[in-house]
Coordinates of all heavy atoms in Angstrom, one line a residue:
M104 N 0.8 -1.2 0.0 CA -0.1 0.0 0.0 C 0.9 1.2 0.0 O 1.8 1.3 0.8 CB -1.0 0.0 1.3 CG -2.0 1.0 1.2 SD -3.3 0.4 0.2 CE -4.6 1.4 0.5
K105 N 0.6 2.1 -0.8 CA 1.4 3.4 -1.0 C 0.7 4.5 -0.2 O -0.4 4.8 -0.4 CB 1.6 3.8 -2.5 CG 2.7 4.8 -2.8 CD 2.7 4.9 -4.2 CE 4.0 5.6 -4.6 NZ 4.3 5.7 -6.0
H106 N 1.4 5.2 0.7 CA 1.1 6.3 1.4 C 1.9 7.4 1.3 O 3.0 7.4 0.8 CB 1.1 5.9 3.0 CG 0.2 4.7 3.5 ND1 -0.9 4.4 2.7 CD2 0.2 4.2 4.6 CE1 -1.5 3.5 3.4 NE2 -0.8 3.3 4.5
A107 N 1.3 8.6 1.7 CA 2.1 9.9 1.4 C 1.6 10.8 2.6 O 0.4 10.6 3.1 CB 1.8 10.6 0.1
I108 N 2.5 11.7 2.9 CA 2.2 12.7 4.0 C 2.3 14.1 3.2 O 3.3 14.4 2.7 CB 3.2 12.7 5.2 CG1 3.0 11.3 5.9 CG2 2.7 13.8 6.1 CD1 4.1 11.1 7.0
I109 N 1.0 14.7 3.2 CA 1.0 16.0 2.5 C 0.6 17.1 3.5 O 0.1 16.9 4.6 CB -0.2 15.9 1.3 CG1 -1.5 15.7 2.0 CG2 0.2 14.9 0.3 CD1 -2.7 15.8 1.0
V110 N 0.9 18.4 3.0 CA 0.6 19.5 3.7 C -0.4 20.4 3.0 O -0.1 20.8 1.8 CB 1.9 20.4 4.1 CG1 1.5 21.6 4.8 CG2 2.9 19.6 4.8
T111 N -1.6 20.8 3.5 CA -2.4 21.7 2.9 C -3.2 22.4 4.1 O -3.6 21.8 5.1 CB -3.4 21.1 1.9 OG1 -4.3 22.0 1.3 CG2 -4.3 20.0 2.6
G112 N -3.4 23.7 3.9 CA -4.1 24.5 4.9 C -3.4 24.5 6.2 O -4.0 24.6 7.4
G113 N -2.1 24.4 6.3 CA -1.4 24.4 7.6 C -1.5 23.2 8.4 O -1.0 23.2 9.5
K114 N -2.1 22.1 7.8 CA -2.2 20.9 8.5 C -1.4 19.7 7.6 O -1.4 19.8 6.5 CB -3.6 20.5 8.7 CG -4.3 21.5 9.6 CD -5.8 21.1 9.8 CE -6.5 22.1 10.6 NZ -6.7 23.4 10.0
Q115 N -1.1 18.7 8.4 CA -0.5 17.5 7.6 C -1.4 16.3 7.7 O -2.2 16.1 8.7 CB 0.8 17.0 8.4 CG 1.8 18.1 8.4 CD 3.1 17.7 9.2 OE1 3.1 16.6 9.6 NE2 4.0 18.6 9.2
Y116 N -1.7 15.6 6.5 CA -2.6 14.5 6.4 C -1.7 13.3 5.8 O -0.9 13.4 5.0 CB -3.6 14.8 5.3 CG -4.5 16.0 5.8 CD1 -4.1 17.3 5.4 CD2 -5.7 15.8 6.6 CE1 -4.8 18.4 5.7 CE2 -6.4 16.9 7.0 CZ -6.0 18.2 6.5 OH -6.9 19.3 7.0
R117 N -2.0 12.2 6.5 CA -1.5 11.0 5.9 C -2.6 10.3 5.0 O -3.6 10.0 5.5 CB -1.2 9.8 7.1 CG -0.6 8.6 6.6 CD -0.1 7.7 7.8 NE 0.5 6.7 7.4 CZ -0.2 5.3 7.5 NH1 -1.4 5.3 7.8 NH2 0.5 4.2 7.0
V118 N -2.2 10.2 3.7 CA -3.2 9.7 2.7 C -2.8 8.4 2.0 O -1.5 8.2 1.8 CB -3.5 10.8 1.7 CG1 -4.1 12.0 2.4 CG2 -2.2 11.3 1.0
A119 N -3.7 7.7 1.5 CA -3.4 6.6 0.6 C -4.4 6.8 -0.7 O -5.4 7.5 -0.5 CB -3.7 5.3 1.3
E120 N -4.1 6.1 -1.7 CA -5.0 6.1 -2.9 C -6.3 5.6 -2.4 O -6.5 4.6 -1.9 CB -4.4 5.2 -4.0 CG -3.1 5.9 -4.4 CD -2.4 5.0 -5.5 OE1 -2.9 4.0 -5.8 OE2 -1.4 5.4 -6.1
G121 N -7.4 6.4 -3.0 CA -8.8 6.2 -2.6 C -9.3 6.7 -1.4 O -10.5 6.5 -1.1
D122 N -8.5 7.3 -0.5 CA -9.0 7.8 0.7 C -9.8 9.1 0.4 O -9.6 9.8 -0.5 CB -7.9 8.4 1.6 CG -7.0 7.1 2.2 OD1 -7.6 6.1 2.2 OD2 -6.1 7.4 3.0
V123 N -10.8 9.4 1.3 CA -11.7 10.6 1.2 C -11.4 11.3 2.5 O -11.6 10.9 3.6 CB -13.2 10.3 1.2 CG1 -14.0 11.4 1.1 CG2 -13.4 9.4 -0.1
I124 N -10.9 12.7 2.4 CA -10.6 13.4 3.5 C -11.2 14.8 3.4 O -11.5 15.2 2.3 CB -9.0 13.6 3.7 CG1 -8.4 14.3 2.4 CG2 -8.3 12.2 3.9 CD1 -7.0 14.6 2.6
F125 N -11.4 15.4 4.5 CA -11.8 16.8 4.6 C -10.6 17.7 4.9 O -10.0 17.6 5.9 CB -12.8 16.9 5.8 CG -14.1 16.1 5.6 CD1 -14.2 14.8 5.9 CD2 -15.2 16.7 4.8 CE1 -15.4 14.0 5.7 CE2 -16.3 16.0 4.5 CZ -16.5 14.7 5.0
V126 N -10.4 18.7 4.0 CA -9.2 19.6 4.2 C -9.9 21.1 4.3 O -11.0 21.3 4.1 CB -8.3 19.5 3.0 CG1 -7.6 18.2 2.9 CG2 -8.9 19.9 1.7
E127 N -8.9 22.0 4.7 CA -9.3 23.4 4.8 C -9.8 23.8 3.4 O -9.2 23.3 2.4 CB -8.2 24.3 5.2 CG -7.8 24.0 6.7 CD -8.9 24.5 7.7 OE1 -9.5 25.5 7.5 OE2 -9.2 23.6 8.7
K128 N -10.7 24.8 3.3 CA -11.2 25.2 1.9 C -10.3 25.6 0.8 O -9.2 26.2 1.1 CB -12.2 26.3 2.2 CG -12.9 26.7 0.8 CD -13.9 27.9 1.1 CE -14.4 28.1 -0.3 NZ -15.5 29.1 -0.2
L129 N -10.4 24.8 -0.3 CA -9.6 25.1 -1.4 C -10.4 25.8 -2.4 O -11.7 25.6 -2.5 CB -9.1 23.8 -2.0 CG -8.4 22.8 -1.1 CD1 -8.1 21.5 -1.8 CD2 -7.0 23.4 -0.8
E130 N -9.8 26.7 -3.3 CA -10.4 27.4 -4.3 C -10.5 26.6 -5.5 O -9.7 26.7 -6.5 CB -9.8 28.7 -4.5 CG -9.7 29.7 -3.4 CD -11.1 30.1 -3.0 OE1 -11.9 30.4 -3.9 OE2 -11.2 30.4 -1.8
A131 N -11.3 25.6 -5.5 CA -11.7 24.7 -6.7 C -13.1 24.3 -6.6 O -13.7 24.3 -5.5 CB -10.7 23.5 -6.6
E132 N -13.7 24.1 -7.9 CA -15.1 23.8 -8.0 C -15.2 22.3 -7.8 O -14.3 21.5 -8.0 CB -15.6 24.2 -9.4 CG -15.6 25.7 -9.5 CD -16.2 26.1 -10.8 OE1 -16.7 25.3 -11.5 OE2 -16.0 27.4 -11.3
E133 N -16.5 21.9 -7.6 CA -16.8 20.4 -7.5 C -16.4 19.7 -8.7 O -16.8 20.2 -9.7 CB -18.2 20.2 -6.9 CG -18.5 20.7 -5.5 CD -20.0 20.5 -5.1 OE1 -20.6 19.7 -5.8 OE2 -20.4 21.1 -4.2
G134 N -15.9 18.6 -8.6 CA -15.5 17.8 -9.8 C -14.1 18.1 -10.4 O -13.6 17.5 -11.3
A135 N -13.7 19.3 -9.9 CA -12.3 19.6 -10.4 C -11.1 18.8 -9.9 O -11.3 18.2 -8.9 CB -12.0 21.2 -10.1
S136 N -10.0 18.7 -10.4 CA -8.9 18.1 -10.1 C -7.9 19.0 -9.5 O -7.6 20.2 -10.0 CB -8.2 17.3 -11.3 OG -7.0 16.5 -10.7
V137 N -7.3 18.6 -8.2 CA -6.3 19.5 -7.5 C -5.1 18.5 -7.4 O -5.1 17.4 -7.4 CB -6.8 20.0 -6.3 CG1 -8.0 21.0 -6.3 CG2 -7.2 18.9 -5.4
T138 N -3.9 19.3 -7.3 CA -2.7 18.7 -7.1 C -2.0 19.2 -5.8 O -1.8 20.3 -5.7 CB -1.7 18.8 -8.2 OG1 -2.4 18.3 -9.4 CG2 -0.4 17.9 -8.1
F139 N -1.6 18.3 -4.9 CA -0.9 18.7 -3.7 C 0.7 18.4 -3.9 O 1.0 17.2 -4.1 CB -1.3 17.9 -2.4 CG -2.8 18.1 -2.2 CD1 -3.7 17.0 -2.4 CD2 -3.3 19.3 -1.7 CE1 -5.1 17.2 -2.1 CE2 -4.6 19.4 -1.4 CZ -5.6 18.4 -1.7
D140 N 1.4 19.5 -4.0 CA 2.8 19.2 -4.4 C 3.7 19.5 -3.2 O 4.9 19.3 -3.3 CB 3.3 20.2 -5.5 CG 3.0 21.7 -5.2 OD1 2.4 22.0 -4.1 OD2 3.5 22.6 -6.0
Q141 N 3.1 19.8 -2.0 CA 4.0 19.8 -0.7 C 3.8 18.4 -0.1 O 2.9 18.2 0.9 CB 3.3 21.0 0.1 CG 3.7 22.2 -0.4 CD 3.1 23.3 0.5 OE1 2.4 23.1 1.3 NE2 3.7 24.6 0.3
V142 N 4.7 17.5 -0.5 CA 4.6 16.1 0.0 C 5.9 16.0 0.9 O 7.2 16.2 0.5 CB 4.7 15.2 -1.2 CG1 4.7 13.7 -0.7 CG2 3.6 15.3 -2.1
L143 N 5.6 15.6 2.1 CA 6.7 15.5 3.1 C 7.4 14.2 3.1 O 8.6 14.1 3.3 CB 6.2 15.7 4.6 CG 5.5 17.1 4.8 CD1 5.0 17.1 6.2 CD2 6.7 18.2 4.7
A144 N 6.6 13.1 2.8 CA 7.1 11.7 2.7 C 6.2 10.9 1.8 O 5.1 11.1 1.6 CB 7.2 11.1 4.0
V145 N 6.9 9.9 1.2 CA 6.2 8.9 0.4 C 6.7 7.5 0.9 O 7.8 7.2 0.9 CB 6.5 9.0 -1.2 CG1 5.9 7.9 -1.9 CG2 6.1 10.3 -1.7
I146 N 5.7 6.7 1.4 CA 5.9 5.4 1.9 C 5.2 4.3 1.0 O 4.1 4.4 0.7 CB 5.4 5.1 3.3 CG1 6.0 6.2 4.3 CG2 5.7 3.9 3.8 CD1 5.0 7.3 4.7
D147 N 6.1 3.4 0.4 CA 5.7 2.5 -0.4 C 6.2 1.1 0.0 O 7.4 0.7 -0.4 CB 6.2 2.7 -1.9 CG 5.6 1.8 -2.9 OD1 4.6 1.0 -2.5 OD2 5.9 1.8 -4.0
G148 N 5.4 0.3 0.8 CA 5.9 -0.9 1.4 C 7.0 -0.8 2.2 O 7.0 -0.1 3.3
D149 N 8.2 -1.4 1.9 CA 9.5 -1.3 2.8 C 10.2 0.0 2.5 O 11.1 0.3 3.3 CB 10.3 -2.6 2.4 CG 9.6 -3.7 3.1 OD1 8.8 -3.7 4.0 OD2 9.9 -5.0 2.5
S150 N 10.1 0.6 1.3 CA 10.9 1.8 0.9 C 10.0 3.0 1.3 O 8.9 3.2 1.2 CB 11.2 1.8 -0.5 OG 9.9 1.9 -1.2
A151 N 10.9 4.0 1.7 CA 10.3 5.3 2.0 C 11.3 6.4 1.6 O 12.4 6.2 1.8 CB 10.0 5.4 3.6
S152 N 10.8 7.4 1.2 CA 11.6 8.7 0.9 C 11.0 9.9 1.6 O 9.8 10.2 1.7 CB 11.6 8.9 -0.6 OG 10.3 9.1 -1.1
F153 N 11.9 10.5 2.4 CA 11.5 11.6 3.1 C 12.1 12.9 2.5 O 13.3 13.0 2.0 CB 12.0 11.6 4.6 CG 11.3 10.4 5.3 CD1 12.0 9.2 5.3 CD2 10.2 10.5 5.8 CE1 11.3 8.0 5.9 CE2 9.5 9.3 6.4 CZ 10.2 8.1 6.4
G154 N 11.6 14.1 2.6 CA 11.9 15.3 2.0 C 12.6 16.1 3.1 O 12.5 16.0 4.2
A155 N 13.3 17.2 2.5 CA 13.9 18.1 3.5 C 13.7 19.5 2.9 O 14.5 20.2 2.1 CB 15.4 17.9 3.6
P156 N 12.6 20.2 2.9 CA 11.4 19.7 3.7 C 10.3 18.9 2.8 O 9.5 18.1 3.4 CB 10.6 21.0 4.0 CG 11.0 22.1 3.1 CD 12.4 21.7 2.6
Y157 N 10.5 19.1 1.5 CA 9.6 18.3 0.6 C 10.3 17.4 -0.3 O 11.5 17.6 -0.7 CB 8.8 19.2 -0.3 CG 8.1 20.3 0.6 CD1 8.3 21.6 0.3 CD2 7.0 20.0 1.4 CE1 7.6 22.7 1.1 CE2 6.4 20.9 2.2 CZ 6.8 22.2 2.0 OH 6.1 23.3 2.7
V158 N 9.6 16.2 -0.7 CA 10.2 15.3 -1.6 C 10.2 15.9 -3.1 O 9.2 16.4 -3.5 CB 9.3 14.0 -1.6 CG1 10.0 13.0 -2.6 CG2 9.3 13.4 -0.1
D159 N 11.4 15.8 -3.6 CA 11.4 16.4 -4.9 C 10.7 15.5 -6.0 O 10.8 14.4 -6.1 CB 13.0 16.5 -5.4 CG 13.9 17.4 -4.6 OD1 13.2 18.5 -4.3 OD2 15.0 17.1 -4.5
G160 N 9.9 16.3 -6.8 CA 9.1 15.6 -7.9 C 7.9 14.8 -7.5 O 7.2 14.1 -8.3
A161 N 7.7 14.7 -6.1 CA 6.5 14.0 -5.7 C 5.3 14.9 -5.6 O 5.4 16.1 -5.4 CB 6.8 13.5 -4.3
S162 N 4.2 14.3 -6.0 CA 2.9 15.0 -5.9 C 1.7 14.0 -5.7 O 1.8 12.9 -6.0 CB 2.6 15.8 -7.2 OG 2.5 14.9 -8.3
V163 N 0.6 14.5 -5.3 CA -0.6 13.8 -5.0 C -1.7 14.4 -5.7 O -2.0 15.6 -5.5 CB -0.8 13.7 -3.5 CG1 -2.1 12.9 -3.2 CG2 0.4 12.9 -2.8
S164 N -2.4 13.6 -6.5 CA -3.6 14.3 -7.3 C -4.8 13.9 -6.5 O -4.9 12.8 -6.0 CB -3.6 13.8 -8.8 OG -3.8 12.4 -8.8
A165 N -5.8 14.7 -6.6 CA -7.1 14.4 -5.9 C -8.2 15.1 -6.7 O -8.0 16.0 -7.5 CB -7.1 15.0 -4.5
K166 N -9.4 14.7 -6.4 CA -10.6 15.2 -7.0 C -11.6 15.7 -5.9 O -11.7 15.1 -4.8 CB -11.4 14.0 -7.8 CG -12.6 14.4 -8.5 CD -13.3 13.2 -9.1 CE -14.6 13.7 -9.7 NZ -15.5 12.5 -10.1
V167 N -12.0 16.9 -6.3 CA -12.9 17.7 -5.3 C -14.2 17.1 -5.4 O -14.9 17.1 -6.5 CB -12.9 19.2 -5.6 CG1 -13.9 19.9 -4.7 CG2 -11.5 19.7 -5.4
L168 N -14.8 16.6 -4.3 CA -16.2 16.0 -4.2 C -17.2 16.9 -3.8 O -18.3 17.0 -4.3 CB -16.0 14.8 -3.3 CG -15.2 13.5 -3.7 CD1 -15.3 12.5 -2.5 CD2 -15.5 13.0 -5.0
K169 N -16.8 17.8 -2.8 CA -17.8 18.7 -2.2 C -17.1 19.9 -1.7 O -16.1 19.7 -1.0 CB -18.7 17.8 -1.2 CG -19.7 18.6 -0.5 CD -20.4 17.8 0.4 CE -21.5 18.5 1.3 NZ -22.0 17.8 2.3
Q170 N -17.9 21.0 -1.7 CA -17.4 22.1 -0.9 C -18.6 22.3 0.2 O -19.8 22.2 -0.1 CB -17.4 23.5 -1.8 CG -16.4 23.4 -2.8 CD -15.1 23.8 -2.3 OE1 -14.7 23.9 -1.1 NE2 -14.1 23.9 -3.2
G171 N -18.2 22.6 1.4 CA -19.3 22.7 2.5 C -18.8 23.4 3.6 O -17.8 24.0 3.6
K172 N -19.7 23.4 4.7 CA -19.4 24.0 6.0 C -19.7 23.0 7.0 O -20.5 22.1 7.0 CB -20.4 25.3 6.2 CG -20.0 26.4 5.3 CD -20.8 27.6 5.7 CE -20.6 28.7 4.9 NZ -21.5 29.9 5.2
G173 N -18.8 23.1 8.1 CA -19.0 22.1 9.3 C -20.2 22.5 10.1 O -21.0 23.5 9.8
K174 N -20.3 21.8 11.2 CA -21.4 22.1 12.1 C -21.2 23.4 12.9 O -20.0 23.8 13.0 CB -21.4 21.0 13.2 CG -21.9 19.7 12.7 CD -21.8 18.6 13.8 CE -23.2 19.0 14.7 NZ -23.4 17.9 15.8
K175 N -22.3 24.2 13.2 CA -22.2 25.4 13.8 C -21.7 25.3 15.3 O -22.1 24.4 15.9 CB -23.5 26.1 13.8 CG -23.4 27.6 14.4 CD -24.8 28.2 14.3 CE -24.8 28.9 13.1 NZ -26.0 29.9 12.9
I176 N -20.8 26.2 15.7 CA -20.4 26.2 17.0 C -20.7 27.5 17.5 O -20.9 28.5 16.9 CB -18.8 25.9 17.2 CG1 -18.0 27.1 16.5 CG2 -18.3 24.7 16.8 CD1 -16.5 27.1 16.8
R177 N -21.0 27.6 18.9 CA -21.3 28.9 19.5 C -20.2 29.4 20.3 O -19.6 28.7 21.1 CB -22.6 28.7 20.5 CG -23.8 28.1 19.9 CD -24.5 29.3 19.2 NE -25.8 28.8 18.7 CZ -26.5 29.5 17.8 NH1 -26.1 30.7 17.3 NH2 -27.6 28.9 17.3
V178 N -19.8 30.7 20.0 CA -18.8 31.3 20.7 C -19.5 32.5 21.7 O -20.3 33.2 21.2 CB -17.9 32.1 19.8 CG1 -16.8 32.9 20.6 CG2 -17.3 31.2 18.7
Y179 N -19.3 32.2 23.0 CA -19.9 33.1 24.0 C -19.1 33.9 24.8 O -18.1 33.2 25.4 CB -20.9 32.2 24.9 CG -21.7 33.0 26.0 CD1 -22.8 33.8 25.6 CD2 -21.3 32.9 27.2 CE1 -23.5 34.5 26.4 CE2 -22.1 33.7 28.2 CZ -23.2 34.5 27.7 OH -23.9 35.2 28.7
K180 N -19.2 35.1 24.8 CA -18.2 36.0 25.7 C -19.1 36.7 26.6 O -20.1 37.1 26.4 CB -17.4 36.9 24.7 CG -16.6 36.4 23.8 CD -15.9 37.3 22.9 CE -14.9 36.7 21.8 NZ -14.3 37.7 21.0
M181 N -18.4 36.9 27.8 CA -19.1 37.5 28.9 C -18.1 38.2 29.9 O -17.1 37.6 30.2 CB -20.0 36.6 29.6 CG -20.8 37.2 30.8 SD -21.8 36.0 31.7 CE -20.9 36.2 33.4
K182 N -18.5 39.4 30.3 CA -17.5 40.0 31.4 C -18.5 40.2 32.6 O -19.5 40.9 32.4 CB -17.1 41.4 30.9 CG -16.0 41.2 29.7 CD -15.3 42.5 29.5 CE -14.4 42.4 28.4 NZ -13.3 41.6 28.5
P183 N -18.3 39.4 33.7 CA -19.1 39.6 34.8 C -19.2 41.1 35.3 O -18.3 41.7 35.4 CB -18.5 38.6 35.8 CG -17.0 38.3 35.3 CD -17.0 38.7 33.9
K184 N -20.3 41.4 36.0 CA -20.6 42.6 36.6 C -20.6 43.8 35.7 O -20.7 45.0 36.1 CB -19.6 42.7 37.9 CG -19.7 41.7 38.7 CD -18.8 42.0 39.9 CE -18.1 40.7 40.3 NZ -16.8 40.7 40.9
K185 N -20.4 43.5 34.4 CA -20.3 44.8 33.4 C -21.5 44.8 32.6 O -21.6 45.7 31.7 CB -19.0 44.7 32.6 CG -17.9 44.8 33.5 CD -17.7 45.9 34.3 CE -16.4 46.0 35.2 NZ -16.4 47.0 36.2
G186 N -22.3 43.8 32.5 CA -23.5 43.8 31.6 C -23.0 43.4 30.2 O -23.8 43.6 29.2
Y187 N -21.9 42.9 29.9 CA -21.4 42.6 28.5 C -21.6 41.1 28.3 O -21.0 40.2 28.9 CB -19.8 42.9 28.3 CG -19.2 42.5 27.0 CD1 -19.5 43.1 25.9 CD2 -18.4 41.4 27.0 CE1 -18.9 42.9 24.7 CE2 -17.8 40.9 25.8 CZ -18.2 41.7 24.6 OH -17.5 41.2 23.4
R188 N -22.5 40.8 27.3 CA -22.6 39.4 26.8 C -22.7 39.4 25.4 O -23.4 40.3 24.7 CB -23.9 39.0 27.4 CG -23.9 38.6 28.8 CD -25.2 38.0 29.3 NE -25.0 37.5 30.7 CZ -25.3 38.2 31.8 NH1 -25.7 39.5 31.6 NH2 -25.1 37.7 33.0
K189 N -22.0 38.5 24.6 CA -22.0 38.5 23.2 C -21.9 37.0 22.8 O -21.2 36.2 23.3 CB -20.7 39.1 22.6 CG -20.6 39.1 21.2 CD -19.4 39.9 20.8 CE -19.2 39.9 19.2 NZ -18.0 40.5 18.9
T190 N -22.8 36.6 21.9 CA -23.1 35.3 21.4 C -22.8 35.4 19.9 O -23.3 36.2 19.3 CB -24.4 34.6 21.5 OG1 -24.7 34.6 23.0 CG2 -24.4 33.2 21.0
Q191 N -21.9 34.5 19.3 CA -21.6 34.5 18.0 C -21.6 33.1 17.5 O -21.1 32.2 18.2 CB -20.3 35.3 17.8 CG -19.8 35.4 16.4 CD -18.5 36.2 16.3 OE1 -17.9 36.5 17.3 NE2 -18.0 36.5 15.1
G192 N -22.0 32.8 16.2 CA -21.8 31.4 15.6 C -20.8 31.5 14.6 O -20.3 32.5 14.0
H193 N -20.2 30.2 14.4 CA -19.1 30.1 13.3 C -19.3 28.7 12.7 O -19.5 27.7 13.3 CB -17.8 30.1 14.0 CG -16.6 29.9 13.1 ND1 -16.3 30.9 12.0 CD2 -16.0 28.8 12.8 CE1 -15.3 30.3 11.3 NE2 -15.0 29.1 11.7
R194 N -19.3 28.6 11.4 CA -19.3 27.4 10.6 C -18.0 27.4 9.7 O -17.8 28.1 8.8 CB -20.5 27.3 9.7 CG -21.8 27.1 10.5 CD -23.0 27.0 9.7 NE -22.9 25.7 8.9 CZ -23.6 25.3 7.9 NH1 -24.6 26.2 7.5 NH2 -23.5 24.2 7.5
Q195 N -17.1 26.4 10.0 CA -15.9 26.4 9.3 C -16.0 25.8 7.9 O -16.6 24.6 7.8 CB -14.8 25.5 10.1 CG -13.4 25.5 9.5 CD -12.6 26.8 9.6 OE1 -12.9 27.6 10.5 NE2 -11.8 26.9 8.7
P196 N -15.6 26.5 6.9 CA -15.7 25.9 5.5 C -14.7 24.8 5.3 O -13.5 24.9 5.8 CB -15.4 27.0 4.6 CG -14.6 28.0 5.3 CD -15.1 27.9 6.9
Y197 N -15.1 23.8 4.5 CA -14.0 22.6 4.2 C -14.3 22.3 2.8 O -15.3 22.7 2.1 CB -14.3 21.5 5.2 CG -15.7 20.8 4.9 CD1 -15.9 19.9 3.9 CD2 -16.8 21.0 5.7 CE1 -17.1 19.2 3.7 CE2 -18.0 20.5 5.5 CZ -18.2 19.5 4.6 OH -19.4 18.9 4.4
T198 N -13.3 21.4 2.3 CA -13.4 20.9 0.9 C -13.2 19.3 1.2 O -12.3 19.0 1.8 CB -12.3 21.3 0.1 OG1 -12.6 22.8 -0.1 CG2 -12.4 20.9 -1.3
K199 N -14.2 18.6 0.7 CA -14.0 17.2 0.7 C -13.4 16.6 -0.7 O -13.9 16.9 -1.7 CB -15.5 16.6 0.8 CG -15.5 15.0 0.9 CD -16.9 14.6 1.1 CE -17.1 13.0 1.3 NZ -18.4 12.7 1.3
V200 N -12.2 16.0 -0.6 CA -11.5 15.5 -1.5 C -11.2 14.0 -1.5 O -11.2 13.4 -0.4 CB -10.2 16.3 -1.7 CG1 -10.2 17.7 -2.0 CG2 -9.3 15.9 -0.6
E201 N -11.2 13.4 -2.7 CA -10.8 11.8 -2.9 C -9.4 11.9 -3.5 O -9.1 12.4 -4.6 CB -11.8 11.2 -3.8 CG -11.5 9.8 -3.8 CD -12.6 9.0 -4.7 OE1 -13.3 9.7 -5.4 OE2 -12.5 7.8 -4.8
I202 N -8.6 11.2 -2.8 CA -7.1 11.1 -3.2 C -7.0 10.1 -4.4 O -7.6 8.9 -4.3 CB -6.3 10.6 -2.1 CG1 -6.4 11.4 -0.9 CG2 -4.8 10.4 -2.5 CD1 -5.9 12.9 -1.1
G203 N -6.4 10.5 -5.5 CA -6.1 9.7 -6.7 C -4.8 9.0 -6.6 O -4.3 8.3 -5.7
A204 N -4.0 9.5 -7.5 CA -2.6 8.8 -7.7 C -1.6 9.6 -6.8 O -1.6 10.7 -6.7 CB -2.2 8.9 -9.1
I205 N -0.8 8.7 -6.2 CA 0.5 9.3 -5.6 C 1.6 9.1 -6.4 O 2.0 7.9 -6.7 CB 0.6 8.6 -4.2 CG1 -0.6 8.8 -3.3 CG2 1.9 9.1 -3.5 CD1 -0.6 8.0 -2.1
G206 N 2.2 10.2 -6.8 CA 3.4 10.1 -7.8 C 4.6 10.7 -7.3 O 4.5 11.6 -6.5

């Protein structure tokens, strides 16, 4: 099984071919193909290659399945004895991608 460790949106993901992952929002439409070229490591069975910081010539292709938003969280701020109360909601945008070829 071939695995890779990629960086996108400031986070690292360990992916294999056929995996479906949720990453920070990418500027790509649904059905479009994206390429992750910041590959930290490629693991293929017993052999592994690690970059410093990235592996030369390595890339991971993926297909965008969906653009969406996560569940709403409530942010509540309060200062006691001052009458200050503030409620705010937030929904983090994400992109759902299916990993294709690791090259």
Side-chain angles (χ1 to χ4, degrees):
M104 192 74 167
K105 196 171 193 179
H106 293 344
I108 299 174
I109 62 171
V110 177
T111 180
K114 297 178 178 72
Q115 298 177 5
Y116 299 92
R117 181 175 183 258
V118 297
E120 294 177 358
D122 283 355
V123 175
I124 60 172
F125 294 89
V126 298
E127 293 294 317
K128 185 177 178 176
L129 301 172
E130 295 300 323
E132 296 183 14
E133 293 181 14
S136 179
V137 294
T138 302
F139 301 108
D140 55 353
Q141 294 182 339
V142 180
L143 298 175
V145 176
I146 300 112
D147 189 10
D149 294 333
S150 65
S152 60
F153 299 95
Y157 305 118
V158 178
D159 292 331
S162 65
V163 176
S164 64
K166 179 182 175 189
V167 175
L168 299 178
K169 179 181 175 186
Q170 298 279 7
K172 290 184 179 180
K174 292 181 73 172
K175 181 178 276 192
I176 61 167
R177 298 280 183 196
V178 179
Y179 182 71
K180 297 179 180 181
M181 180 185 121
K182 295 196 186 283
K184 301 179 220 156
K185 302 296 178 193
Y187 174 77
R188 291 182 166 93
K189 181 178 180 182
T190 303
Q191 186 176 0
H193 177 74
R194 294 182 68 190
Q195 185 68 26
Y197 67 83
T198 302
K199 182 178 178 181
V200 297
E201 180 179 12
I202 302 300
I205 298 173

